[in-house]
Amino acid sequence: MFSHRKSRRGALAVTACLSLAASLGACGLDSGGGEGEGGDDEIVIGVSLPLTGDFSEPGKGVQRGYEAWADYVNENGGLLGKDVRLEILDDQSSADRVASDYEKLINQDKVDLVFGPFSTRLVVPAAQVAQDYGFLFVEPAGAAEEVFTQGFDNLFYAAPAIADDHYNLLAEQIIAMPEGERPKTAAYATMDDPFAQGTAYGLKDKLEAAGVTTVADEVYPPNTTDFSSIAAKVADSKADIVVGGTQYQDAVNLIVALQQLNFQPKMAAFSTAPTNPEFPEAIGSKTEGILSPTGYTPDAKYPENQEFVEFYTEKNGTPPSEDEANAWTTGEVVAAAVEDAECADPSQECQQKLIDFLREATVDTVVGPLSWDAEGRPESAHLIQQYVDGEIRIVLPEDQAEAEFIAVKPQW
Amino acid sequence: MSGSLLLQSIILGLLLGGLYALLAAGLTLYFGVMRVVMIAHSAFLVLAAYLAWYFQRETGLDPLLSLLVTVPLFFVVGFTMQRLLLARLRPATLTMMSVLLTFAIALTIEGLLGYFFSGTQRRIQLDYSGSSIEFFGANIAVVKMIAFALAAVALLGLWALMKLTRFGQALRATIQHPEAARLLGINTDRIAGFGFGLGLATAAIGGTALSLDSTIYPSLHWHWIGPLMAIIVIGGLGSIPGAAIAAMVLGVSQSLLQVPLGTTWAQTVFYIALFATLMVRPQGFFGGRLAQRF
């Protein structure tokens, strides 16, 4: 496969040379008064996104985020004084297409920088191409552990935390509670899915280390429709805290099944579903005290975020959601590197400078300050939200909190 | 396993079995009357569940009231479907072709549901969704009891119809020996149409019962068709009491096995039972001669 890639790259290089030769004259004419090597007065950023196919919904969200970011930068004096232009291709949610798209962007279109696509499935092949050419690769979607175990040294995930760390702030909060109030037993129910399971087991490891006993640990296949037996086992364990490694449908079904058994844990935390606007519609009034980690909320008080929400809402008519925010964050991270390195071109020196900067840096973004480990895992934490007075509010960390953390959940 | 968990699991299993029995009843009826493998049965269940959800959302009334519309509607749709589509298939290849035809119908229903209601997961929000009644330390959810009661009423009604009415007699005659029934002056074509309509009417009730306590989405029917097929084969094709008993046994087994084995393995009970049945008694445990004709 590697030799195939090399030969394809060779062919592309020939094509690129020919097209470059044909356009050199025009370039020369254009760059009369310009500065720098390229001599042009804009920075071109190449992106491939799943605008059609399986991931088209989130893909379009990421596109809206990237475009809003570019508009914002251009309205505020540009990057290094130059305008930013996005070159967006559609990879149709295909892993083969995404690799050749980035080959084309780098080789043929001669983009100055690249941004990542959406979904782990597309991030991995795209990052491989960027790595081959020595490009910095900041990506908005690829939380699964496999993204960070491929040996990429150019990759950075522009979000607060990978799946295993989503519940970190909750873990800290629980561990810091006085001995008498801290939950002693925990029950886990999680979908057989790397992302959902990662969230619950990340918390399980931390709580077990702190002495919270696991009294139930249920894993169910993604197509499970009947949750009453799982709920019966969780209820029978009489756990103080129940933790769901869940997506949408399973969380809703599990919560209702637990309510039907009149099981009243002191704490209940479920990933993904509670932050979905449909969630309170499905559960009704019995949401009080339910906890959930979230990567982004328009309500977060970081100054960058307030500016983002205002700009985005004015442009699009609706506040941004997580996909748009992650895309915007990607833009912010790359821009910080460009401004520090004072360069934005495809040369090895420049790209390496950008990568080296991010290895050490902490960048202020709409999801809070971000820094990364050697494999590109972000080292922040997800916010923890909780239903307080019928509304989902940020309760952790304390400096972002909109409401006080409720340690003992009201009956549901 | 603690005593209360055992009791709880048995109760949950019985309630689940009741729902399975209702959902499988129509399926075994189609088989019995006209050797039709109705892949679209569970798609109609999901359709009925969506109609109940839509009815509740638009009117704010209890979703059970939607039955007044959906039961007659599904009966007519079933009758029409049998007369216009299934009756035209050649008898020699009926069983196989009915799989293809009803597969296409299932895909059409799924597509239309996605088109009109989107792929978003929906759930009926009832005041009593989370309510339950305590019974010797076990909790019985109100919605599950309602679903079970619906299943019991529908199945008893179906049984009474089959046993006590002239129509039921004609239907049973058509199932047992179509040629002899025709010789006795029974219009077997029309009876087959009514039988199909009846099967689909049970789907309307089953789907509404399902919607009370499940999140629904257009492709949900694929998760149901496998277990339901297993139930009617184990019960014996064409036997409604067989389907009901098999459904109860499998519902309780699934619920009890869940405790030591976990969800993933408990679900395989249907397929293990199916294989065992096909090896030991291929005609099913109650169907008798009928299944041997295939």
Side-chain angles (χ1 to χ4, degrees):
Chain A
M1 184 191 149
F2 193 62
S3 63
H4 172 68
R5 185 193 296 287
K6 271 197 166 162
S7 68
R8 185 171 54 185
R9 197 196 299 171
L12 274 171
V14 172
T15 323
C17 281
L18 286 175
S19 63
L20 192 67
S23 62
L24 261 181
C27 284
L29 283 176
D30 262 358
S31 61
E35 39 158 24
E37 292 166 19
D40 51 356
D41 51 4
E42 63 178 12
I43 295 172
V44 184
I45 301 174
V47 195
S48 172
L49 286 174
L51 300 177
T52 52
D54 287 355
F55 305 129
S56 65
E57 275 309 306
K60 284 178 191 151
V62 171
Q63 183 185 22
R64 285 192 294 272
Y66 281 155
E67 282 171 350
W69 173 81
D71 288 350
Y72 179 81
V73 167
N74 291 340
E75 280 177 27
N76 288 280
L79 203 53
L80 300 180
K82 299 177 183 181
D83 266 358
V84 168
R85 181 166 66 82
L86 296 174
E87 179 76 33
I88 299 179
L89 303 178
D90 175 15
D91 53 49
Q92 300 167 351
S93 307
S94 144
D96 296 332
R97 265 307 269 271
V98 82
S100 63
D101 276 358
Y102 279 96
E103 294 259 10
K104 175 176 182 296
L105 288 166
I106 294 172
N107 260 321
Q108 214 168 315
D109 301 342
K110 299 282 169 196
V111 297
D112 297 305
L113 302 164
V114 293
F115 284 171
F118 179 88
S119 120
T120 295
R121 232 171 70 189
L122 302 179
V123 160
V124 172
Q128 186 61 53
V129 176
Q131 166 110 336
D132 290 348
Y133 289 97
F135 266 63
L136 167 70
F137 192 79
V138 181
E139 50 100 356
E145 183 58 20
E146 65 177 279
V147 172
F148 309 101
T149 51
Q150 311 277 331
F152 297 133
D153 52 21
N154 60 330
L155 178 144
F156 299 85
Y157 175 34
I162 60 164
D164 293 25
D165 295 338
H166 281 192
Y167 277 119
N168 278 4
L169 288 174
L170 181 61
E172 282 169 26
Q173 176 80 14
I174 291 172
I175 293 165
M177 286 165 94
E179 193 72 33
E181 294 168 27
R182 194 197 299 174
K184 290 180 185 58
T185 53
Y188 303 87
T190 167
M191 182 190 277
D192 193 358
D193 164 269
F195 167 79
Q197 223 167 1
T199 60
Y201 285 173
L203 179 59
K204 180 168 172 264
D205 291 345
K206 291 176 191 80
L207 291 187
E208 278 180 354
V212 179
T213 318
T214 300
V215 286
D217 182 3
E218 287 292 297
V219 178
Y220 49 84
N223 63 0
T224 305
T225 51
D226 180 58
F227 283 81
S228 48
S229 300
I230 298 167
K233 275 174 84 172
V234 169
D236 191 61
S237 75
K238 300 195 172 57
D240 293 333
I241 171 169
V242 54
V243 179
T246 47
Q247 304 225 3
Y248 180 72
Q249 170 218 0
D250 51 325
V252 170
N253 287 340
L254 182 58
I255 291 169
V256 174
L258 288 168
Q259 291 174 344
Q260 288 175 348
L261 296 174
N262 197 25
F263 172 58
Q264 304 289 354
K266 286 188 198 140
M267 274 187 207
F270 297 87
S271 39
T272 320
T275 58
N276 186 321
E278 290 255 324
F279 180 79
E281 274 176 50
I283 303 282
S285 55
K286 296 177 167 182
T287 52
E288 201 64 6
I290 293 176
L291 291 152
S292 186
T294 184
Y296 177 73
T297 151
D299 300 329
K301 289 178 202 150
Y302 309 112
E304 291 79 11
N305 185 45
Q306 288 166 0
E307 221 167 311
F308 164 48
V309 173
E310 209 170 285
F311 181 83
Y312 185 91
T313 312
E314 196 174 315
K315 181 174 147 68
N316 291 284
T318 52
S321 69
E322 194 163 354
D323 295 326
E324 287 86 5
N326 288 347
W328 182 286
T329 309
T330 303
E332 283 184 305
V333 169
V334 173
V338 165
E339 270 158 14
D340 182 84
E342 293 182 340
C343 73
D345 61 68
S347 71
Q348 284 296 310
E349 311 91 82
C350 177
Q351 295 289 334
Q352 196 56 48
K353 268 200 247 174
L354 301 175
I355 295 169
D356 291 344
F357 168 76
L358 289 180
R359 283 274 160 258
E360 306 299 327
T362 300
V363 182
D364 286 324
T365 71
V366 298
V367 295
L370 291 183
S371 58
W372 295 266
D373 73 3
E375 280 79 41
R377 292 183 196 87
E379 291 173 321
S380 304
H382 270 201
L383 302 164
I384 300 291
Q385 291 187 302
Q386 188 168 34
Y387 277 88
V388 180
D389 297 329
E391 297 263 334
I392 189 152
R393 314 287 279 277
I394 306 166
V395 291
L396 295 173
E398 266 163 28
D399 62 339
Q400 290 293 319
E402 302 171 303
E404 202 154 318
F405 179 81
I406 307 173
V408 177
K409 189 179 73 57
Q411 294 223 335
W412 57 13
Chain B
M1 193 190 309
S2 70
S4 63
L5 182 56
L6 181 68
L7 178 65
Q8 183 75 64
S9 295
I10 290 171
I11 290 173
L12 287 173
L14 286 171
L15 294 173
L16 184 65
L19 188 61
Y20 281 153
L22 175 58
L23 302 188
L27 209 53
T28 204
L29 199 63
Y30 313 124
F31 249 122
V33 183
M34 51 230 121
R35 291 195 285 148
V36 166
V37 183
M38 172 69 166
I39 302 288
H41 186 69
S42 57
F44 277 102
L45 289 173
V46 175
L47 175 63
Y50 263 96
L51 292 176
W53 164 79
Y54 184 73
F55 173 84
Q56 197 258 357
R57 196 187 68 170
E58 293 299 306
T59 64
L61 298 171
D62 196 287
L64 291 178
L65 290 173
S66 70
L67 287 172
L68 296 175
V69 182
T70 52
V71 171
L73 177 73
F74 273 45
F75 181 83
V76 172
V77 169
F79 181 80
T80 318
M81 211 169 108
Q82 201 279 332
R83 298 316 302 147
L84 293 185
L85 295 173
L86 292 158
R88 291 168 188 235
L89 299 175
R90 281 173 42 217
T93 53
L94 177 64
T95 308
M96 197 184 74
M97 293 309 289
S98 68
V99 173
L100 295 181
L101 179 64
T102 57
F103 189 78
I105 293 171
L107 287 177
T108 308
I109 293 174
E110 182 183 337
L112 288 174
L113 286 176
Y115 180 77
F116 284 109
F117 299 121
S118 85
T120 308
Q121 321 251 2
R122 311 283 185 182
R123 190 180 180 100
I124 294 183
Q125 218 273 299
L126 296 164
D127 302 333
Y128 50 90
S129 285
S131 311
S132 60
I133 292 167
E134 203 178 317
F135 175 77
F136 292 112
N139 287 280
I140 311 175
V142 172
V143 281
K144 286 193 199 300
M145 277 196 292
I146 294 174
F148 187 83
L150 269 183
V153 170
L155 286 176
L156 282 175
L158 198 57
W159 178 82
L161 194 70
M162 297 286 274
K163 285 282 180 197
L164 307 177
T165 65
R166 280 189 65 79
F167 164 71
Q169 239 176 1
L171 189 58
R172 279 187 294 136
T174 308
I175 290 175
Q176 279 162 11
H177 207 302
E179 288 88 20
R182 265 196 294 278
L183 286 174
L184 287 169
I186 294 172
N187 184 345
T188 51
D189 288 344
R190 253 182 59 185
I191 290 290
F194 286 142
F196 209 89
L198 205 56
L200 218 54
T202 66
I205 303 173
T208 309
L210 185 70
S211 75
L212 295 178
D213 195 31
S214 292
T215 306
I216 52 173
Y217 48 95
S219 63
L220 175 65
H221 64 109
W222 298 119
H223 297 316
W224 277 98
I225 194 69
L228 295 185
M229 284 288 176
I231 286 170
I232 64 164
V233 172
I234 294 163
L237 302 174
S239 165
I240 289 171
I245 293 166
M248 280 293 179
V249 171
L250 287 172
V252 175
S253 318
Q254 187 192 0
S255 189
L256 286 176
L257 284 174
Q258 186 121 20
V259 179
L261 294 181
T263 314
T264 310
W265 287 107
Q267 284 186 348
T268 57
V269 66
F270 284 89
Y271 305 103
I272 293 168
L274 180 61
F275 282 129
T277 307
L278 291 174
M279 268 165 23
V280 179
R281 202 177 148 84
Q283 70 273 38
F285 285 93
F286 298 91
R289 285 201 335 270
L290 178 82
Q292 290 170 348
R293 293 214 308 255
F294 295 101

